[in-house]
Each structure stands twice: as C-alpha cells, then as structure tokens.
Amino acid sequence: MNLVEQEHDAKKDHINEIVLSEDVQRAIEQVLQSSDPLDQPDFNPTDYINQLFPNEQSLSNIDEVIAKMECDISLIDDNIRSVVRGQVNTGENGRVALKEAQQSLTQLFSLITDIKSRAEKTEDAVKEITRDIKQLDSAKNNLTYAITTLNHLHMLVGGVENLKRLSERRQYGEVLNPLQAIIEVNQHFQQYSEIAQIQTLSAQVQQIQSELATQITDDFKNFFSPTSHSNANRMTLTQLKDACQVASVLDKPVKKNILKWFINLQLQEYVQLFHENQDIAWLDKIDKRYAWVKRHLLDFEEKYGTVFPADWEVSERITVQFCTITREELAKIVARRRTEIDVKLLLFAIQKTANFEQLLDKRFNGTTLVEATSEEVRPERGSFSSLIGSCFKPYLDIYMDSIDRELTALIEQFAQANQQMMVPKEINPGILPNCADLFVFYKKCMVQCMQLSNEKPMYDLVLLFKKYLREYAAKVLEARIPKPQPPNTTTSSISSSMSLLTKDFQNLSTAAGQVIHNFLKEGETPRFSSEDMRKICYILATAEYCLETVQQLEDKLKEKIDKQYVAKVDLSDEKDVYHRIISNCIQLLVHDLDAACEQSLLLMTKIAWHSISNVGDQSGFVNQIITNLKQTVPVIRDNLANSRKYYTQFCHKFVNSFIPKYINTLYRLRPTSSGSSSASGTAALVASASSSSLSEGGASSGAASGGNILGCEQLLLDTHSLKTVLMDLPSIGSQVQRKPPASYTKVVVKGMAKAEMIIKVVMQPVHPASLYIEQYLKLMPESSVVEFHKILEMKNVRKIEQQQLVEAYKRACPQLQQQPPTTSTTAGSQAVGAESGNTTQQSNEPPTSGGNSTQSQQIAAAAAAISGAGSSIMALGDSLMDKGRIKKIENLIKNRLPN
C-alpha cells in the first residue's frame, strides 16, 4: 500500500512540474534577470534549505525566514492576480482590432480597383490622340530615307563617270575625295545588290578600283625604274604623293604590294654588295653594313621623305627588312666559317650589332615590327633588340669558354699573389684587394652577357660564377689561413733542467722552478703570432664582404635573367662556403686564446690550495689569464672593427669554451684540508705535479668538518676576479668602454655563478649529511650525481663516506637517477678522467702535423721528470728533518713558479 501511495505522489509531482525548453528559458533569463536562487532553472529545495540552515544553531532564525518566505509568496500572488485580471479583456480587444483591419483592407481594395479602371481609360484616350502623329512620323522617316538613297544613287552614277575620266588623266589629287565618297556609297547600296542596276554600278566601282591599283603600281615602277628617266609619261613628285594617298584608300593589298616592291628595290644594292662570298660580308667588317643603311636612309629621306605618307613608315619598313636580310645572311656566313671565329671577333660583331639596334630603338617606334617579324626572333614587341643579334646566340659558347679561361687565369693569379700576402699595417686593414677585383670582373661579365642574351647564356654564366666563387674561397682564402706553429722546444730542455736540479742542491728552489717552468712550456699548444691573428681577421673580413656581395649578386642575377631561369639561380652553397670560412676563422681565434689560457689553468692545478695560509690578492694564474686576454683580444677587436657582429660572436664562443674548462679545472683541485694533515706542502706540490690525487690518508683527514678552507676563499676571490674580467672582455684594453650585449652577459653570469657555487659548496662541512645535502641543493639545484661525486672528491671525503653521501643525495633527488647527464656534466667527467698533463682541444680544432702524439709523449716525459724531482725533494726534506727549512724550500719553489 505504501508503494502505491509513493507512486501516486510521484505522478502528482510530475503533473505539477512545468518543463520549459532551453530557448524559452534563455528568453526568460534575458527579460527577467535575477540572482535569486528561487528563480534558477535548476533550483533544488533541499540544497536551498541546507544553505539557509547549515547547522542547528541557524534554526534560531527560522521564524524570520518563514516570515520572509510568506511575504514573498503573497507578493508573487498579487503579481499573478494582476496579470490574470489584465488578460481578461485581451481577447475581446483583439477581435475588435481584427475586424477593423478587415474593413480597412476592403476599402483599400475598392480604391485600387477604381484607380486601375481610370488608368486604362486614360491609356485608351492617349492612344487615340497619338495615332495620327505616329503615322506622320513614319511617313517622314520613309521620305527622308528615300531622298538620301536617291542622292546616293545620283552620286554613284555621276561619280563613276567622273572617276573614269580623272583616272585616265592621272589626276590623283582630284580622284581622292570622289573615290572615298563612292566607296562609302557603294557600301551603302550592298543591301540592294539584288537590283540589276545596282549590281552594274557596283561592278563598275570595283573595276575602277582595280584599274587604279594597276595604274598606280605601274606608275611607281616607271618612276623608280632606272630605265624610265627618259620616259615622257613619268610622274612628278606631286603626282606620286597623291598616288600614295589614293593607294591608301584602295584595298590593303595594293599598299602592301607597292611597299614590298619598293623596299626590295631599295635593298637590292645592299644584297649584292654584301653577298656572302664578298670579303666585306665577314664579321670584322660588320660595321660597314650598318654604315651603308644609315647613308641609304638619309639619302632616301632627303629625296622621297615627303612623298610617302607618314603612316606608311617607309623608313622603318626598309630598316626592318634590312635587319631581317642581315640576320639571315650573317647566320649563313657564321655557320659556314665557324672555325674562324674567336671571342674578340664575336664580341666585336655583337657589340656593333647591339649599338645599331639601340640606335634603331631611339629612331623608330617599332609599329611595323608586329607584321614584319615573329615572336621567336623578337623578344619584345616594338623593340629592335636582338632583331639581328639573335643570329649570334648559338655561338655564345665561344664567349663562355673565354670567360671560363679568364676566370681560371684570374684565380691562379690571385693564388700566386696571395702566397706573399702581407696584411696592411693600419689597424683596420679592410679586405683583400683581389676580392673586389673578382666582383668587378663579375659585374663586367654580367653586363656584357645581358647585351648578348639573358636566357641560356646568362644561366651558363651563373654556373661559372658559382664555380669560381668556390675556387676563390678554396685557393685564395682558405689556403692562406695561418696554421699555429709549435714552439721550438724538445725534451732535451727538460733533461737539462733535471741536471740542474740534481747537480746543484744548494740552489734547489731555482732548479725546481726551472723544471716546472720547462714542463709548462713543453705542454704549450701551438699559438698564433700577432701577425697571424691579424691575417686571420683580414681573411674573415674578406669572407664577410664576399658573403654580402654574393647575396647582392644573386639578387641582381634573378632580376636580370629570363623568368624561366629565375628559380634555378641559387648561390646558397657558395654562401655556405663563406659562412664556413668565417666560422673557421672565429674558431681558430677562439682556440688560440683558449690555448693561451690552458697554460694558466694548468698552472692553477699545480698550486697547493689546501695549504694556503692566508687570502691575499688574486693568484698568479689569474694574472696570466688577464695578461693573455689583454695581449690577444685588442688585436682581434681592432682588426674586426668593421665586423662587429663577428667580434661579438668570437667573445661568445670563447666564454662558452673557457668557462666549462675552468669549471672542469676546479673539479680537479683539492682546496680543503684538516688541521692534522700529514702531507707536507712540498709533498702536495709534487703529488699535484705528477697528476695524482692526494693519498687516502690525506683525503680522510681533509674530510672532517671544518679544516683549512682558505684555499676555497682564495679560489672564490680568483673566480670573482675572472668573472669581472670576462664581463669586460669585449672592451678590454680599449679606451672606449661599451656595454657588452645582454646575451653575452647572461652566458658569463650563468657560467661563473656555477663556478662560485661549486666553491661555496666545497666550503660547507659535510656533517651532518642531511644539512650538507640541503645546502648543496639550494646552491646547485640543477646538479647531477656525477657533479656531486666530483665535489666530494674536491673535499677529500673518504670513499666510504662518499658512498653514503651519494646514496643520501639520490634519496633526496630520486628524479636525477632517471635523467641522462647533461652535456656539460659529460664533458666534465671526461676532463676529470683525463691526465693532468693533457690539454683538451676543441672538437673543431684544425689538425696539426704530428702535434698530438709528439705533444703527449713530451707531456708524459715531463710528468715523469717532475715526479722524480718531487721524490728527490721529499728525500731531501726527510734528511733535513727540519720543518722550517722544508717550509722555506716550499715557499721558494712557489715564488719561482711562472706568473
């Protein structure tokens, strides 16, 4: 029974529920905007009550809420009541309004019907009134047309007789106007051609035109024929001028035939004089052809310039026909005598022809070229360009072969002169002069080729340009890039220094210092002289000029060459060659400066940092680095004054190379020790010189918390000094101080900040381990397990403690175990694993002949010698049994180290 009641209640609620569509709901929300929860479509009474009474204490104001609800309900009831009452009379008002609208429509329809009937009556009245007027207009038009036709007929009948009489008398001046009128009238009567009389008259007009055409043609031939001078019937110039006007009125073939005959007559002498069998017809006398036509045109215009109408363009037609005949004759001659053509003769003929064509373009407007030539011969309508010169295009390979030979000789000349290349003494030498000479020759060839053709020959020239741009880069620029010269030292200098050490124990400090100094010299990487560095900058500036000029050359070639070859013009490979030369020069300069600093970094590893007793000024290796920078960087900056972006690139690459090496050198140092270290200062120096780390006993004693950290403080001071110097590197040694680029400053700050953080981490005590790892992660958040292990080595932590600390570090940073080591970390591990005597070289360093193997052997010998010297010093120290004396010897050796 309860289930039945629940189902009945559910149906009842469903019946009472009002469901509105989404469109209706949106319309209600737009009209009745309300923030009251009761007005929301998804209103939930339970949630609303829980919101009003979230807890039992809120039930205290239930009466107020109920009173407010009752007030809202009564207000809504009043609104509903007023709306319902307002809708009572709505239906009645609507019916009244509809009835009134229907009545208005009925009245409007009756008015429209009345207006339509009145309009039809008015139209009938107007037609009745204008009926007679239309008849009169039609009669008038017919009468006018009949009168005009009769007049035309009268003109045609009378004009035919008159034309016959005038044509027989050769009175062409009087024939012109009647002839034009009769031709027009005859065209008018073509619609009446079925009438016999009209047919007769039209046939007479056609006969008169035919007779006039034949008569005028004969008169022209009689006038210009060489045998007609004694003929009494020969026309005068005035009659000839009038005859030309009459020929213009006649059919087009009449004028065309007259011009064809006349032009052939004018060029008859030229064809005979310059026949292919004549000596004057060869290319070396081609200018005589053009001189002949110039004289002939001047003579023609002086005699008959006023006879022919201006629109006949007789001079231009003679010239066009001359060009056509000349092109055909030259093509035959050149094909028959190809073996006799050399490049000078070909260029002479092409140049004379091009000059003549340019003269024709200035003299004539080219209106007759459209009907006289074809598109294959003429590249552009209205232009005489290549009208004759097109016959030389099949033989331009002779010109290209000549250009190829000239460029080959030019590059060889540059290469030979480049062997004695001397850099100008001024600070900013500019570029190689032969570079400008090459591009001047390129420009000359391009202009010359444009006069010949901008199609296939121009593309062949592009291929030649590409070839010799690469040749110039290889034979002139790359071939003269200096190579570093190895120092003239041998292992014999080490042996002599060892003899000094073992021979004279009284001057032990001097001998030991000399041994170490010779060892450092033996490990030097080949360096460039100041002149070599200027030469590299000289070549770099030249390559930069070539790079910019090649881009301009490519743009100009694309502008000048024919459209079908534009996409094929691509000098990107050649630009890459000069990019590579620039990059190689910058890398050589970076490597040279890097090699200078490597000796200072090697000296840095020879200092007993763990035994430093006080922190003073910056160390000697820092002074050496600064000295090398001041000696090298200003030379490069002054010689790259016009290539500022590449100088900035040099600075970028140097700091990107030097800072990781400096950090790797830091990892090889042992700057901390405990107070109870058993190793003396002399033994520590010997151990570092032989590229071995401190003994296990020394490491364990230095692992204690505390110990001597003055070495770290000195390193921190030196690192800060280096950072300051590197920040000012672009302007070092310059009177004008410029602010370095932001990108460069960012690299220096980031790299040297890491070096400072490494030293600060080394200064921290390792106990307690959790605190040390916490400090480590704060100072070096981007570190790795490998770097953490290196820092523990720097602190001389025992192996067992290292394992424990590494495990604790891995637990603190579990994500590091899944990440591969970074590039800098990998490079650092490689540097730590290498022997201390070996100097790292950049990956793109140019190989030197036998440098690597010989240098490695020299370094190994030097290390063995130093190790032996250290053993001697230790034995001597034990025999003296005087700690003060040993300390004094140690200080003497330190003072003898090269600064």
Side-chain angles (χ1 to χ4, degrees):
M1 187 66 182
N2 292 333
L3 293 174
V4 175
E5 291 178 356
Q6 290 178 359
E7 183 178 357
H8 177 72
D9 294 338
K11 290 181 179 179
K12 183 179 180 181
D13 294 339
H14 178 70
I15 293 172
N16 294 333
E17 182 180 0
I18 299 175
V19 180
L20 301 177
S21 65
E22 294 182 359
D23 295 338
V24 175
Q25 188 64 44
R26 283 195 297 269
I28 293 174
E29 290 176 357
Q30 291 178 358
V31 176
L32 303 175
Q33 298 180 357
S34 175
S35 59
D36 193 344
L38 295 173
D39 295 332
Q40 300 303 319
D42 55 349
F43 173 72
N44 191 332
T46 303
D47 294 340
Y48 183 68
I49 293 172
N50 291 334
Q51 184 180 0
L52 291 176
F53 306 106
N55 47 41
E56 293 181 359
Q57 288 79 8
S58 60
L59 294 175
S60 58
N61 60 346
I62 190 173
D63 294 334
E64 297 177 0
V65 174
I66 292 173
K68 183 177 179 300
M69 289 293 178
E70 291 176 349
C71 180
D72 291 341
I73 290 170
S74 62
L75 182 61
I76 292 172
D77 288 340
D78 293 340
N79 291 335
I80 293 173
R81 189 179 300 109
S82 62
V83 170
V84 171
R85 290 176 179 175
Q87 295 297 322
V88 171
N89 298 327
T90 300
E92 185 64 26
N93 294 337
R95 286 189 293 273
V96 172
L98 179 60
K99 186 176 181 180
E100 291 177 354
Q102 291 175 346
Q103 293 176 354
S104 299
L105 287 174
T106 303
Q107 294 176 0
L108 180 62
F109 180 74
S110 62
L111 288 174
I112 292 173
T113 304
D114 184 43
I115 292 171
K116 182 178 179 182
S117 62
R118 291 181 181 181
E120 290 175 352
K121 293 179 181 179
T122 304
E123 184 180 2
D124 294 337
V126 170
K127 287 181 179 180
E128 186 67 26
I129 294 172
T130 59
R131 182 179 300 165
D132 297 335
I133 296 175
K134 288 182 178 180
Q135 292 178 354
L136 291 175
D137 286 342
S138 179
K140 178 183 177 182
N141 291 335
N142 292 334
L143 181 61
T144 303
Y145 187 76
I147 295 172
T148 303
T149 303
L150 289 174
N151 288 333
H152 287 170
L153 183 60
H154 181 267
M155 290 174 57
L156 184 60
V157 173
V160 167
E161 297 296 330
N162 188 29
L163 279 177
K164 287 182 180 180
R165 184 174 62 256
L166 292 176
S167 60
E168 291 175 355
R169 297 175 182 177
R170 286 183 169 78
Q171 297 176 350
Y172 297 120
E174 299 179 7
V175 166
L176 179 62
N177 291 332
L179 179 62
Q180 289 178 331
I182 287 175
I183 291 175
E184 293 178 1
V185 170
N186 189 37
Q187 292 293 332
H188 173 74
F189 280 103
Q190 290 301 315
Q191 56 184 331
Y192 306 111
S193 58
E194 68 276 3
I195 302 175
Q197 291 81 357
I198 298 299
Q199 290 180 358
T200 303
L201 290 173
S202 179
Q204 291 178 357
V205 171
Q206 295 293 335
Q207 183 180 359
I208 292 173
Q209 290 180 346
S210 177
E211 292 175 353
L212 278 173
T214 304
Q215 183 175 313
I216 290 174
T217 302
D218 293 339
D219 290 341
F220 264 90
K221 291 181 180 180
N222 291 332
F223 182 86
F224 289 103
S225 177
T227 60
S228 64
H229 294 289
S230 60
N231 193 342
N233 294 328
R234 188 168 180 264
M235 290 192 304
T236 63
L237 291 178
T238 304
Q239 288 178 316
L240 192 65
K241 183 178 180 181
D242 294 337
C244 292
Q245 298 289 343
V246 173
S248 298
V249 176
L250 297 174
D251 294 336
K252 288 184 178 180
V254 178
K255 170 184 170 183
K256 185 177 180 180
N257 293 333
I258 293 174
L259 285 174
K260 183 178 180 180
W261 173 84
F262 180 75
I263 291 171
N264 290 333
L265 178 66
Q266 295 296 311
L267 295 177
Q268 190 175 15
E269 178 186 353
Y270 170 74
V271 173
Q272 295 176 358
L273 184 63
F274 291 91
H275 191 268
E276 59 179 320
N277 296 328
Q278 302 294 329
D279 293 338
I280 198 175
W282 186 228
L283 296 182
D284 58 345
K285 298 180 180 61
I286 195 171
D287 52 336
K288 296 186 180 298
R289 294 175 177 266
Y290 307 137
W292 181 91
V293 75
K294 292 176 187 176
R295 291 194 305 269
H296 187 78
L297 286 176
L298 290 174
D299 183 60
F300 164 77
E301 291 179 356
E302 182 179 354
K303 292 181 178 180
Y304 308 112
T306 58
V307 172
F308 295 94
D311 60 337
W312 280 30
E313 299 287 351
V314 179
S315 296
E316 182 176 324
R317 292 178 186 275
I318 293 174
T319 306
V320 171
Q321 184 66 15
F322 166 83
C323 294
T324 304
I325 295 174
T326 303
R327 181 182 68 249
E328 295 172 355
E329 292 296 322
L330 287 176
K332 294 178 183 177
I333 296 172
V334 173
R336 185 165 55 88
R337 304 173 61 178
R338 178 187 176 94
T339 56
E340 303 178 29
I341 303 175
D342 58 9
V343 66
K344 291 184 179 179
L345 181 61
L346 180 65
L347 290 180
F348 170 78
I350 292 175
Q351 187 63 45
K352 291 296 182 180
T353 303
N355 293 340
F356 177 69
E357 290 171 347
Q358 291 176 4
L359 179 63
L360 297 182
D361 278 329
K362 295 178 181 178
R363 171 64 179 82
F364 303 111
N365 54 23
T367 55
T368 63
L369 286 172
V370 177
E371 58 189 66
T373 59
S374 61
E375 287 293 334
E376 290 77 9
V377 176
R378 187 184 67 262
E380 182 181 356
R381 286 179 180 246
S383 174
F384 285 87
S385 177
S386 298
L387 193 58
I388 301 175
S390 60
C391 66
F392 298 115
K393 288 183 179 180
Y395 309 97
L396 290 180
D397 56 334
I398 299 174
Y399 170 73
M400 290 303 161
D401 293 341
S402 172
I403 295 297
D404 194 358
R405 290 191 298 270
E406 289 185 33
L407 281 172
T408 301
L410 193 64
I411 295 298
E412 291 299 329
Q413 177 186 344
F414 291 164
Q416 292 176 4
N418 213 38
Q419 293 178 0
Q420 294 84 26
M421 183 182 71
M422 298 296 294
V423 183
K425 294 183 179 180
E426 57 266 19
I427 292 180
N428 187 16
I431 64 171
L432 285 171
N434 54 31
C435 175
D437 295 340
L438 176 67
F439 285 105
V440 168
F441 184 80
Y442 272 20
K443 181 180 178 181
K444 172 187 172 184
C445 294
M446 185 171 63
V447 172
Q448 199 172 47
C449 189
M450 273 298 300
Q451 296 176 352
L452 308 180
S453 174
N454 68 337
E455 297 177 352
K456 182 64 167 56
M458 179 66 79
Y459 180 66
D460 293 338
L461 186 66
V462 172
L463 298 180
L464 285 180
F465 285 174
K466 289 167 65 67
K467 173 185 175 181
Y468 288 100
L469 283 173
R470 295 191 295 269
E471 290 276 339
Y472 182 82
K475 294 183 177 181
V476 179
L477 296 185
E478 289 182 333
R480 301 311 301 162
I481 295 178
K483 294 179 174 55
Q485 299 298 326
N488 295 324
T489 56
T490 61
T491 54
S492 61
S493 61
I494 299 180
S495 302
S496 61
S497 298
M498 286 302 304
S499 64
L500 289 175
L501 182 64
T502 57
K503 183 177 180 181
D504 188 3
F505 286 102
Q506 293 181 355
N507 196 9
L508 184 60
S509 62
T510 303
Q514 185 64 32
V515 169
I516 296 175
H517 182 69
N518 287 339
F519 165 69
L520 293 178
K521 288 188 67 178
E522 284 298 319
E524 286 183 357
T525 305
R527 292 289 311 280
F528 290 119
S529 64
S530 177
E531 184 66 19
D532 287 341
M533 286 191 292
R534 295 185 71 238
K535 189 177 293 185
I536 292 174
C537 295
Y538 197 30
I539 293 173
L540 189 150
T542 304
E544 180 189 12
Y545 172 80
C546 291
L547 183 62
E548 295 173 353
T549 312
V550 167
Q551 180 61 53
Q552 297 173 6
L553 177 66
E554 182 180 4
D555 296 339
K556 185 61 69 175
L557 287 170
K558 289 183 176 180
E559 176 186 341
K560 298 295 184 183
I561 202 168
D562 191 72
K563 293 181 180 180
Q564 61 178 326
Y565 294 99
V566 171
K568 298 181 180 180
V569 178
D570 184 13
L571 303 183
S572 57
D573 292 340
E574 288 67 35
K575 288 185 282 188
D576 291 342
V577 169
Y578 290 102
H579 271 300
R580 187 180 69 245
I581 292 176
I582 293 173
S583 179
N584 188 23
C585 290
I586 294 175
Q587 198 60 49
L588 286 174
L589 295 173
V590 170
H591 174 68
D592 181 73
L593 186 56
D594 232 357
C597 295
E598 279 182 0
Q599 303 305 315
S600 303
L601 296 180
L602 187 61
L603 175 61
M604 179 180 172
T605 62
K606 310 305 175 186
I607 301 176
W609 295 97
H610 61 279
S611 61
I612 290 179
S613 58
N614 61 338
V615 179
D617 294 335
Q618 59 192 23
S619 302
F621 79 92
V622 178
N623 294 329
Q624 274 195 4
I625 292 175
I626 295 174
T627 301
N628 288 325
L629 294 178
K630 288 183 177 180
Q631 289 176 352
T632 304
V633 174
V635 176
I636 298 173
R637 181 181 59 243
D638 293 340
N639 286 273
L640 293 180
N642 293 335
S643 304
R644 189 72 188 178
K645 62 179 180 180
Y646 293 117
Y647 172 68
T648 304
Q649 194 177 123
F650 158 76
C651 296
H652 267 280
K653 288 191 175 183
F654 171 71
V655 295
N656 280 325
S657 174
F658 173 76
I659 292 177
K661 289 185 178 180
Y662 180 73
I663 292 174
N664 291 335
T665 306
L666 284 179
Y667 284 137
R668 293 159 58 186
L669 303 181
R670 304 294 181 264
T672 62
S673 68
S674 64
S676 60
S677 176
S678 61
S680 65
T682 304
L685 176 63
V686 172
S688 61
S690 60
S691 304
S692 62
S693 61
L694 293 173
S695 63
E696 288 288 331
S700 61
S701 63
S705 62
N708 183 13
I709 61 171
L710 293 178
C712 292
E713 294 178 357
Q714 182 65 44
L715 276 174
L716 198 59
L717 174 64
D718 295 339
T719 302
H720 181 73
S721 300
L722 277 179
K723 178 181 178 181
T724 304
V725 172
L726 292 178
M727 289 290 288
D728 297 333
L729 178 66
S731 301
I732 191 171
S734 175
Q735 296 179 354
V736 180
Q737 296 295 322
R738 290 185 179 181
K739 186 177 180 181
S743 57
Y744 173 82
T745 304
K746 182 179 179 181
V747 172
V748 174
V749 170
K750 183 177 180 180
M752 297 307 291
K754 182 177 180 180
E756 292 175 345
M757 293 301 105
I758 290 172
I759 299 171
K760 289 180 180 181
V761 168
V762 174
M763 294 171 66
Q764 300 293 327
V766 296
H767 299 295
S770 59
L771 181 60
Y772 177 72
I773 293 174
E774 180 181 353
Q775 292 295 326
Y776 180 90
L777 292 176
K778 287 181 180 179
L779 295 175
M780 300 183 66
E782 298 180 358
S783 182
S784 64
V785 177
V786 176
E787 289 181 334
F788 183 72
H789 189 272
K790 293 177 185 177
I791 290 175
L792 295 181
E793 290 286 344
M794 291 178 66
K795 293 180 65 64
N796 287 326
V797 178
R798 291 182 302 175
K799 299 296 183 182
I800 298 177
E801 293 185 4
Q802 285 187 22
Q803 295 178 0
Q804 296 174 354
L805 289 170
V806 169
E807 292 299 327
Y809 177 74
K810 289 181 179 180
R811 289 194 299 270
C813 303
Q815 70 276 9
L816 294 177
Q817 302 180 23
Q818 302 176 0
Q819 296 179 356
T822 60
T823 304
S824 59
T825 304
T826 306
S829 63
Q830 292 174 354
V832 171
E835 294 185 0
S836 60
N838 293 331
T839 57
T840 57
Q841 295 186 351
Q842 299 181 12
S843 60
N844 52 359
E845 174 189 352
T848 55
S849 58
N852 292 335
S853 60
T854 305
Q855 184 177 349
S856 301
Q857 294 173 1
Q858 292 177 357
I859 292 174
I866 294 298
S867 179
S871 301
S872 301
I873 294 173
M874 290 182 66
L876 179 62
D878 293 337
S879 63
L880 293 175
M881 297 297 290
D882 185 357
K883 294 182 179 180
R885 184 83 176 268
I886 294 173
K887 189 69 174 177
K888 185 176 180 181
I889 292 173
E890 178 183 354
N891 291 333
L892 288 173
I893 293 176
K894 287 182 181 179
N895 292 332
R896 292 297 297 170
L897 289 175
N899 294 323

